[in-house]
Amino acid sequence: MICAGQNRLVASDNPLISRLDSLVDKSVQRYFQDKRAVGLSIAFVQNGKPHFYDYGETKADNGQLPNNRTIYEIGSMTKSFTGIILARAILDKKINLEDDIRKYLKGSFPNLSYKGTPIRIKDLANHTSRITRIFPNMWERPSYDSLNPLFNYSRQLLYEGLHKMKMDTLPGKIYSYSNMAVALLGTILEDVYGQDYFSLVSKNILKPYQMRDTRIDIGSLPSGRIAWPHNPQRQPVPLWDLGEVPAMGALRSTTADLVNYINANNAETNQAIKLSHQRTFGADQEGMGMNWFIHSSPGGYHILEHGGGTGGSRSSLDCFPQLNAGLVILTNSLANRNDLEKELVAMLAAQSKGSK
């Protein structure tokens, strides 16, 4: 099937048979009015059942349509996986949410408290730590590459940035998104388990839920499996390499795998997953769990959400536990998917409610 977006033909595998197919297609056609758009993969989950839709190309002008096993960068969606690993560590009594983070750091960090109030583990996971979003020593390095900004950014540099940081107010009180806080949380989890981040994610999430294509290292894969990221001019740009700070955004995944992830989060039969959804900041209408954004839909449904963005990819994940429903959007461009996500979330809520 071909849809017309931005006066160019956009390939798709949408069968345009059901009402859902047609509604999705109308929203996607609007998305492709953005000149930056290249490829797009969507998964709808209704009553646990997936519906997959793919559009565009895995690389600009290569004529290859993505599918539900095409691997995209998911960026900060990775943080939700980190939240589940944190919950696992709490259940394993490796960590306590109320612990001063300095309990897990080598050396002295007198700067990591404000008027005697320390940063706690839970502050790292709900973005209230007041740790700088990105430390200046990321871009002040001689080896800094704006197209791959975290390449060779080491644990040592992370801790050096942490030493230089100054607290400006009480932790735990004000939401302020921080990549470095979650990067630090990841290193703490690696240390308490004595295992690398991907091993922890694989053991606790990927293997139990058969997410076989979700990975960090894609070096062994044929290029046709990958949705290559693009800049605003639709030119390919490098995939990001987050070698020593993976917890903040290193995972790559597929819509097929993320359907399994949605179903696992909706079911909450895994105690670590269930605990990661526990609100630690804000209100039920708008709050934070352990690296999960918690919202209420206009219809009063509970939504667990996390998105992501890298140099040339965007992603969105929304789980509706009460409806056993969810949504994944993966893109390999910087086209704005916010309106698309809002439209599809509203559509999902209406369709899922009607089918229950």
Side-chain angles (χ1 to χ4, degrees):
M1 195 277 292
I2 302 290
C3 82
Q6 187 52 39
N7 298 319
R8 55 190 165 100
L9 297 178
V10 180
S12 174
D13 58 10
N14 187 331
L16 289 176
I17 295 171
S18 70
R19 173 170 166 74
L20 178 62
D21 297 344
S22 298
L23 290 171
V24 168
D25 191 66
K26 286 180 181 176
S27 289
V28 170
Q29 287 192 45
R30 283 191 286 272
Y31 168 82
F32 271 96
Q33 295 299 313
D34 190 321
K35 295 178 183 179
R36 298 170 293 181
V38 180
L40 170 71
S41 292
I42 295 169
F44 256 73
V45 178
Q46 291 182 294
N47 293 321
K49 180 186 175 184
H51 305 268
F52 297 105
Y53 302 99
D54 303 281
Y55 287 81
E57 298 171 306
T58 59
K59 194 173 187 178
D61 302 320
N62 75 350
Q64 182 179 329
L65 181 70
N67 59 46
N68 65 5
R69 292 194 63 214
T70 297
I71 294 176
Y72 291 79
E73 288 183 311
I74 63 170
S76 287
M77 194 190 296
T78 302
K79 291 181 174 72
S80 67
F81 291 74
T82 306
I84 294 169
I85 303 305
L86 171 59
R88 182 72 263 161
I90 293 164
L91 294 171
D92 289 344
K93 303 195 184 311
K94 300 271 188 184
I95 266 181
N96 189 301
L97 275 184
E98 301 296 332
D99 284 343
D100 182 334
I101 65 170
R102 293 174 294 186
K103 177 180 176 180
Y104 303 95
L105 304 178
K106 294 174 183 175
S108 176
F109 287 86
N111 60 317
L112 297 186
S113 69
Y114 187 83
K115 295 185 177 179
T117 300
I119 301 172
R120 300 160 298 177
I121 290 291
K122 73 177 180 183
D123 301 330
L124 298 179
N126 62 25
H127 298 290
T128 63
S129 69
R130 306 305 291 166
I131 289 176
T132 314
R133 182 175 182 135
I134 289 289
F135 293 145
N137 68 1
M138 182 190 79
W139 64 80
E140 291 170 349
R141 295 174 293 147
S143 62
Y144 174 71
D145 178 357
S146 62
L147 294 178
N148 194 2
L150 287 148
F151 179 69
N152 280 344
Y153 190 81
S154 64
R155 266 179 168 239
Q156 181 182 344
L157 284 168
L158 176 67
Y159 296 136
E160 285 175 6
L162 201 59
H163 272 294
K164 293 177 182 176
M165 197 201 77
K166 294 180 181 177
M167 298 288 290
D168 61 358
T169 190
L170 289 169
K173 301 296 183 183
I174 301 170
Y175 169 85
S176 182
Y177 191 85
S178 174
N179 285 305
M180 291 309 188
V182 183
L184 178 63
L185 177 60
T187 67
I188 290 171
L189 291 167
E190 288 182 325
D191 288 345
V192 299
Y193 278 106
Q195 297 178 49
D196 68 87
Y197 178 77
F198 186 72
S199 294
L200 292 170
V201 170
S202 183
K203 176 185 176 182
N204 290 284
I205 304 170
L206 307 184
K207 288 180 180 175
Y209 299 107
Q210 299 181 343
M211 298 173 67
R212 299 183 183 93
D213 289 324
T214 302
R215 60 188 68 206
I216 293 174
D217 182 7
I218 58 173
S220 63
L221 294 178
S223 62
R225 289 289 315 281
I226 300 161
W228 297 97
H230 294 78
N231 67 14
Q233 290 74 43
R234 301 179 80 245
Q235 298 164 331
V237 293
L239 294 150
W240 277 11
D241 178 359
L242 280 67
E244 293 193 25
V245 286
M248 62 188 262
L251 290 176
R252 289 90 182 236
S253 192
T254 68
T255 52
D257 274 11
L258 291 169
V259 162
N260 293 357
Y261 190 56
I262 287 172
N263 286 333
N265 277 286
N266 283 342
E268 290 190 333
T269 52
N270 178 314
Q271 290 305 303
I273 288 176
K274 184 176 182 178
L275 181 59
S276 77
H277 299 163
Q278 180 179 300
R279 182 170 58 79
T280 62
F281 181 73
D284 288 340
Q285 290 75 25
E286 201 73 31
M288 286 294 302
M290 297 179 201
N291 282 333
W292 284 102
F293 292 91
I294 300 168
H295 308 291
S296 286
S297 75
Y301 297 112
H302 191 59
I303 305 174
L304 298 161
E305 176 264 324
H306 212 301
T310 59
S313 303
R314 295 290 184 265
S315 63
S316 300
L317 177 82
D318 297 270
C319 302
F320 287 71
Q322 292 152 294
L323 295 173
N324 193 18
L327 169 69
V328 180
I329 301 171
L330 301 180
T331 83
N332 62 343
S333 78
L334 300 181
N336 189 333
R337 91 286 190 199
N338 294 336
D339 288 343
L340 176 64
E341 182 178 10
K342 288 175 185 174
E343 290 173 17
L344 296 183
V345 163
M347 194 186 304
L348 179 69
Q351 293 266 321
S352 298
K353 180 183 178 183
S355 66
K356 284 187 77 69

